[in-house]
Amino acid sequence: MKLSPWGTFRRMPLGLVMVWTTTFVTGCAHDGRHGSFNWDRARFVDLTHAFGSDTIVWPTEQEFRLIVQHAEQSEGGYYYASNRIEMPEHGGTHIDAPVHFSRGGRTVDQIPLDGLIGRAVRVDVRSRCEEDRDYCVTVQDLERWEAEHGRIPDRAIVLLETGYGRYWPSRERYLGTEQRGSDGVRALRFPGLHPDAAAWLIRERRIKAVGIDTASIDHGRSTTFDTHVTLLAHQVPVFENLAELRQLPDRDFAVIALPMKIAGGTGGPLRIIAVITR
């Protein structure tokens, strides 16, 4: 019996699921003799900042803490190490689940896997963000990108490169301030996505998710978080504090974004990678 791709996926051993998914979404890295994923042709880019003492969090959030509990030779003769971590859901490279700004929206454990994995594009807006720390990516920016690189595919993951990833982990340069608490929030200065552009991406391109290399999809001076509300009300998750976007092509790559599966979570730490096969 001939199986559909979804039927094949459901019958596949768990260890092959990620390989199949990456091959399916990119459609260009097969071994012609066996139909398997060709690892030799793929390049993987980690878009995640490591979590540590210098992890950037929102000015009102608790710092990330790694607490050593054990790191010693045991009485049984073997070495044993174990740590405990303390962190906010929305610190470092993380995901915003729809419920974060949408009452009744999906929690992080409810987001379907196919909403976190798929073809992706990188929209480079570094030049405009260098001129204006408060810049908001517009519909016109997206249309200019399409005029040069082609239409953003439906159901794609859109990654916005502002260039601010290069400032990590300097809080002053990345956030615009080193202040903490409410004073720190009022002093935030970094680019984001304009809510009209978010609405355009949802309406015209039916995107799966949006990511950005800043601390928020809304620009730093926002007080109403309209872009968050627009995206999350439409069940479009957001990836924030991304790393290494400069290593990506403009299009024709895939993204795999797997957050910690926190039951009832409004977000959580995210390990996100790009798979490049061209």
Side-chain angles (χ1 to χ4, degrees):
M1 179 176 66
K2 185 176 180 180
L3 298 176
S4 68
W6 175 241
T8 302
F9 180 89
R10 294 181 63 186
R11 292 161 176 79
M12 193 174 288
L14 181 60
L16 297 179
V17 167
M18 293 298 288
V19 173
W20 183 91
T21 302
T22 304
T23 303
F24 186 73
V25 298
T26 58
C28 56
H30 289 78
D31 181 325
R33 295 169 299 172
H34 306 293
S36 60
F37 185 79
N38 188 336
W39 293 96
D40 293 335
R41 290 181 55 193
R43 181 165 66 90
F44 300 87
V45 180
D46 192 345
L47 307 180
T48 314
H49 290 292
F51 288 85
S53 60
D54 60 357
T55 291
I56 295 175
V57 300
W58 202 250
T60 53
E61 287 283 10
Q62 175 187 314
E63 303 282 3
F64 175 90
R65 293 182 64 201
L66 180 71
I67 302 163
V68 177
Q69 298 184 114
H70 296 281
E72 70 274 343
Q73 201 73 14
S74 73
E75 293 180 358
Y78 55 86
Y79 176 79
Y80 179 70
S82 176
N83 302 321
R84 177 166 57 90
I85 61 173
E86 297 179 0
M87 63 179 300
E89 289 176 319
H90 301 274
T93 302
H94 69 276
I95 186 172
D96 287 355
V99 73
H100 187 38
F101 275 83
S102 177
R103 189 186 302 275
R106 291 188 180 113
T107 55
V108 72
D109 56 308
Q110 295 172 334
I111 300 172
L113 282 176
D114 67 1
L116 303 170
I117 299 170
R119 69 178 73 183
V121 301
R122 176 188 66 103
V123 179
D124 184 352
V125 288
R126 287 175 295 174
S127 61
R128 289 173 174 80
C129 295
E130 286 176 2
E131 297 169 358
D132 182 2
R133 285 194 71 96
D134 305 315
Y135 189 74
C136 289
V137 180
T138 66
V139 174
Q140 290 71 35
D141 290 321
L142 301 173
E143 290 175 338
R144 277 191 291 267
W145 186 92
E146 288 194 330
E148 183 174 356
H149 303 291
R151 190 181 190 276
I152 296 171
D154 288 351
R155 300 285 294 154
I157 295 171
V158 176
L159 305 182
L160 304 174
E161 184 182 11
T162 69
Y164 274 55
R166 71 185 186 277
Y167 297 143
W168 189 281
S170 168
R171 296 187 186 208
E172 182 174 6
R173 300 187 72 191
Y174 189 76
L175 298 176
T177 179
E178 291 184 344
Q179 295 184 75
R180 301 283 291 154
S182 56
D183 289 341
V185 172
R186 285 191 290 270
L188 292 171
R189 299 283 303 279
F190 54 78
L193 175 65
H194 195 283
D196 289 348
W200 185 88
L201 286 169
I202 294 166
R203 182 182 66 253
E204 302 296 335
R205 299 297 179 263
R206 299 186 299 132
I207 58 167
K208 285 186 177 184
V210 180
I212 195 167
D213 57 349
T214 66
S216 172
I217 197 68
D218 278 280
H219 70 114
R221 303 189 82 173
S222 174
T223 58
T224 55
F225 301 98
D226 295 330
T227 302
H228 273 91
V229 172
T230 299
L231 292 166
L232 299 179
H234 287 84
Q235 306 295 316
V236 176
V238 175
F239 312 141
E240 295 170 334
N241 293 324
L242 300 185
E244 303 298 337
L245 295 186
R246 68 183 184 277
Q247 294 194 39
L248 303 181
D250 296 299
R251 60 181 305 141
D252 296 327
F253 63 96
V255 160
I256 301 173
L258 300 181
M260 182 184 292
K261 193 174 181 180
I262 303 171
T266 70
L270 177 69
R271 188 66 182 268
I272 176 171
I273 65 169
V275 184
I276 303 168
T277 57
R278 291 185 185 274

